[in-house]
Amino acid sequence: MAITLTEAAASRVRNFLESRGQGVGVRLGVKTSGCSGLAYVLEFVDELEDDDEVFENRGVKVIIDRKSLAYLDGTELDYGKEGLNEGFKFNNPNVKDECGCGESFKV
């Protein structure tokens, strides 16, 4: 099982953590939401929880709860800018379908 980051995503996470002045890494997860069933969650972590799995890639700790790992295994987190929009993108090989707006997915 593995989660990876592109260099652009790792750099952005490191910059966010430095700006915050605290944090051990970034949490990736899923929640029930949207028209396709699941939505991604991304948040910064100050303390680890008992059911957390920790991966380290490109100098960044990626924290995932065991339930979400089943949906995110093999995912690559990317970061990019397109025109005026910028943000993180989940390249998830487990996705079978996405809603039209791109906010939720199904595995």
Side-chain angles (χ1 to χ4, degrees), residues 22-71:
Q22 64 181 14
V24 295
V26 63
R27 178 181 303 283
L28 306 183
V30 296
K31 66 179 181 176
T32 302
S33 179
C35 48
S36 290
L38 297 170
Y40 295 110
V41 175
L42 186 146
E43 60 190 12
F44 294 98
V45 175
D46 293 327
E47 293 182 26
L48 297 175
E49 297 177 13
D50 291 339
D51 70 337
D52 284 339
E53 296 286 336
V54 180
F55 299 89
E56 188 157 345
N57 185 250
R58 299 182 189 265
V60 173
K61 288 185 179 167
V62 179
I63 297 107
I64 301 178
D65 65 274
R66 290 184 186 117
K67 177 184 161 207
S68 294
L69 186 56
Y71 301 105

